[in-house]
Amino acid sequence: MKDIKAIKGKFYIRKLIDEGEHEHQDFKYAISDARKIARSISAFANNDGGRLLIGVKDNGSVVGVPNEEDIYMIEHAASSYCNPPQEVEITAFVAEGGAIVLRATINRAARRPVYCLEEKNRRVAYYRVKDENIVAHPLMVEAWELASGDEQQPWGTLTEEDLSLLRHLRENEISTLEKYMISNHRSKQSARQTVVRLLAMGIIKMEHHPDGFYIKHVDNEPDDQT
């Protein structure tokens, strides 16, 4: 299989499957659309990384992959449908019944955002939330771009506008750009700049809830989502 020798992994693969699909793991029965795989790669790369188990159904049943075509599709998705192109580490395992399961590991990108090239070359950045790939909030994308562009530069001291947002979040725990604008009498452009700046600095994060994204103070939490 494309010079990738499958290694024994029946119990290892079963252990992973028993975890189910989650923020860092997705099951794929087969790969027929490189663009769909690129969405998963984008989502994992923009979060904290993850893995695809190819040859596993959504219900956890192991069916295996018939040949090396899935490997080519993954590599094609990562190199041609991701911008910038991403590296994917692929390992083949001999699982239940002798079936071959591929583990495709995607690391968190050193420079975000990682876009998926949709139809008509439309660039969309995805983000992994629980077991879903969702479109990243525009403020997150702006913050990633800002952080990547200024990663070698000191941010300097917090401004009064920065501090006003932090006070607002301590009072409200979670909020939205619109609520912050209204409560602090800020223009949309000014409020947006402040939110993006603090997201890029890692002081605040965007947290996804069933009804959308909210802004939240990080409070030195380890799971920074910007």
Side-chain angles (χ1 to χ4, degrees):
M1 184 174 284
K2 203 194 172 193
D3 299 327
I4 296 181
K5 183 178 180 180
I7 59 178
K8 293 181 180 180
K10 175 181 177 180
F11 298 108
Y12 170 70
I13 292 299
R14 174 45 56 186
K15 180 181 177 181
L16 294 184
I17 291 173
D18 287 345
E19 293 179 8
E21 294 181 301
H22 52 71
E23 183 176 336
H24 303 293
Q25 180 166 277
D26 200 4
F27 300 158
K28 295 296 180 184
Y29 166 55
I31 299 177
S32 58
D33 188 332
R35 182 174 280 116
K36 288 183 179 179
I37 292 301
R39 292 169 188 157
S40 293
I41 295 172
S42 167
F44 283 133
N46 285 328
N47 195 320
D48 285 322
R51 59 180 169 261
L52 300 170
L53 293 184
I54 299 96
V56 178
K57 290 185 175 181
D58 289 344
N59 63 6
S61 298
V62 174
V63 293
V65 295
N67 51 53
E68 70 277 2
E69 185 62 28
D70 285 342
I71 297 177
Y72 288 108
M73 290 289 282
I74 297 169
E75 293 177 342
H76 180 52
S79 62
S80 300
Y81 285 95
C82 288
N83 183 11
Q86 297 298 295
E87 293 289 335
V88 178
E89 180 185 351
I90 301 174
T91 308
F93 293 90
V94 180
E96 300 169 10
I100 302 299
V101 171
L102 301 178
R103 182 194 65 192
T105 303
I106 300 98
N107 293 323
R108 172 173 169 146
R111 294 179 65 87
R112 298 179 294 173
V114 174
Y115 292 99
C116 171
L117 298 180
E118 298 285 0
E119 294 180 359
K120 298 181 180 179
N121 284 327
R122 185 170 60 94
R123 300 193 308 166
V124 179
Y126 289 88
Y127 191 74
R128 187 75 176 177
V129 175
K130 295 183 179 179
D131 61 348
E132 293 186 272
N133 303 325
I134 65 172
V135 176
H137 194 283
L139 293 176
M140 296 171 71
V141 176
E142 286 187 41
W144 292 334
E145 291 175 341
L146 179 61
S148 293
D150 292 346
E151 60 185 0
Q152 301 299 325
Q153 300 179 23
W155 289 103
T157 58
L158 295 178
T159 66
E160 180 54 40
E161 289 77 12
D162 297 336
L163 295 174
S164 72
L165 174 55
L166 296 180
R167 286 192 293 268
H168 173 76
L169 292 178
R170 289 193 177 98
E171 292 169 0
N172 296 275
E173 187 175 357
I174 62 173
S175 187
T176 63
L177 177 68
E178 291 72 21
K179 289 180 180 179
Y180 170 56
M181 288 166 50
I182 293 171
S183 65
N184 286 266
H185 309 290
R186 302 283 302 278
S187 69
K188 184 174 183 178
Q189 180 179 1
S190 175
R192 192 181 187 95
Q193 289 175 344
T194 301
V195 170
V196 168
R197 171 181 163 84
L198 293 188
L199 282 170
M201 295 172 70
I203 296 174
I204 65 173
K205 65 180 179 179
M206 299 210 71
E207 189 173 81
H208 189 264
H209 291 243
D211 58 342
F213 278 100
Y214 286 83
I215 307 166
K216 184 177 182 179
H217 195 287
V218 171
D219 287 330
N220 297 319
E221 293 175 11
D223 58 337
D224 172 22
Q225 294 189 25
T226 64

